[in-house]
Amino acid sequence: MNKRSRPAPSSRSRIFLLYAMLVTGVLTWQGIHYTGLLQILGEWQFSKIGTFFPVATQFVLVLAATLPVIAWLRFRDRRNHSPEPTDGLTRARARSARLVLLYTVVASCLAMAALVTMAIALTAFLPHGPSKALSVEGTAPIASGPVRLRGYADKSRMIEIKSNVIAGRRTIFVVPLLAYPGDRREIGYFVPVVSSKDALNVRTDPAPTVVTQGFLAQHGMPEEAASLLRARGYPVRHRAALLYRSPADAAWSGLTSGILIGLLAMLFAIGAMIETRRYGRLVGSANATTTVV
């Protein structure tokens, strides 16, 4: 297929593509770290309906940021160019070129979201130095990495966290780690347990305290679960930390989500390739018609 049988993107189309990818990348980063616009809208959804739909919210924000630009570009094209031809073949070529651009933009945005998601997940495997000893009563800043946490595991406030994606499914139970029994201060740390009875990687001392070690994910506690605890009257810090058994466990959700998003990007990329071939056939038909005439 030669270059003439492919729709030639304009400079404005290329700029729009980069803009859409940038918007998607920024919103994906905000969604993973629960900050910026995603945090504002998430807090609003929690206050109004008691839950948060991060993927749908990010999708709506991307549309809100890109649709006005698309409308403006269409208006400029119609104002600066002559009316569209009325013959069916030319209209078909124009529709095909628009579809190629649409599939390309969607595939590129999904690829950007997949890259950002997987890149953030892979930071769990970066060197973090030796395991740090932290106490729930301490004022040490929460940072991702290997830690040894000391506190009181309150199993009366156990909560179930489910991660469901097409690539896999995982359920863990977590409990808050308090400074002492009956501590009513904001809860900033959560540790996992195997079930409602058995602790995972937790050693119980004669005193009602535990020492547990693993990989601490900064802001790793899902806000949906934290909101549920708040609704029950428990003070949970926003963006609380969650302790995983290993960096692989901490990265599991991000990696599987990134793979899934990447597969969707590939499907739209294949769609763009198929539509490009169709555009080439339409161009060939037009050339053949011109030759016969």
Side-chain angles (χ1 to χ4, degrees), residues 8 47-48 60 76 78 82 111 280 285 288:
S47 65
K48 297 297 181 181
V60 171
R76 287 285 303 270
R78 290 183 178 181
S82 58
S285 299

Side-chain angles (χ1 to χ4, degrees), residues 100-259:
V100 170
L101 178 60
L102 174 63
Y103 290 152
T104 302
V105 170
V106 174
S108 301
C109 290
L110 288 173
M112 173 63 74
L115 287 174
V116 172
T117 302
M118 296 184 70
I120 293 175
L122 289 172
T123 58
F125 297 101
L126 295 176
H128 292 90
S131 181
K132 301 177 182 178
L134 294 178
S135 173
V136 176
E137 296 181 282
T139 59
I142 300 176
S144 297
V147 299
R148 294 188 307 276
L149 278 174
R150 183 178 182 86
Y152 170 73
D154 186 358
K155 294 184 181 180
S156 66
R157 310 186 197 182
M158 183 176 298
I159 192 167
E160 180 182 13
I161 299 177
K162 293 183 178 180
S163 299
N164 296 307
V165 294
I166 293 177
R169 176 179 298 175
R170 183 179 63 171
T171 300
I172 62 173
F173 296 88
V174 300
V175 297
L177 199 64
L178 310 178
Y180 50 83
D183 184 9
R184 300 300 299 175
R185 291 176 296 180
E186 278 193 329
I187 303 169
Y189 298 87
F190 287 83
V191 296
V193 293
V194 171
S195 65
S196 59
K197 297 180 180 179
D198 302 317
L200 171 64
N201 196 25
V202 172
R203 175 174 60 84
T204 304
D205 295 329
T209 59
V210 297
V211 177
T212 179
Q213 56 186 347
F215 185 88
L216 188 70
Q218 185 184 31
H219 316 319
M221 183 64 176
E223 277 298 314
E224 296 91 334
S227 177
L228 179 60
L229 285 174
R230 294 188 195 104
R232 296 177 181 175
Y234 299 118
V236 179
R237 180 189 304 164
H238 287 282
R239 304 169 70 184
L242 178 61
L243 189 75
Y244 290 93
R245 288 180 297 179
S246 66
D249 283 346
W252 183 89
S253 179
L255 291 178
T256 51
S257 298
I259 291 172

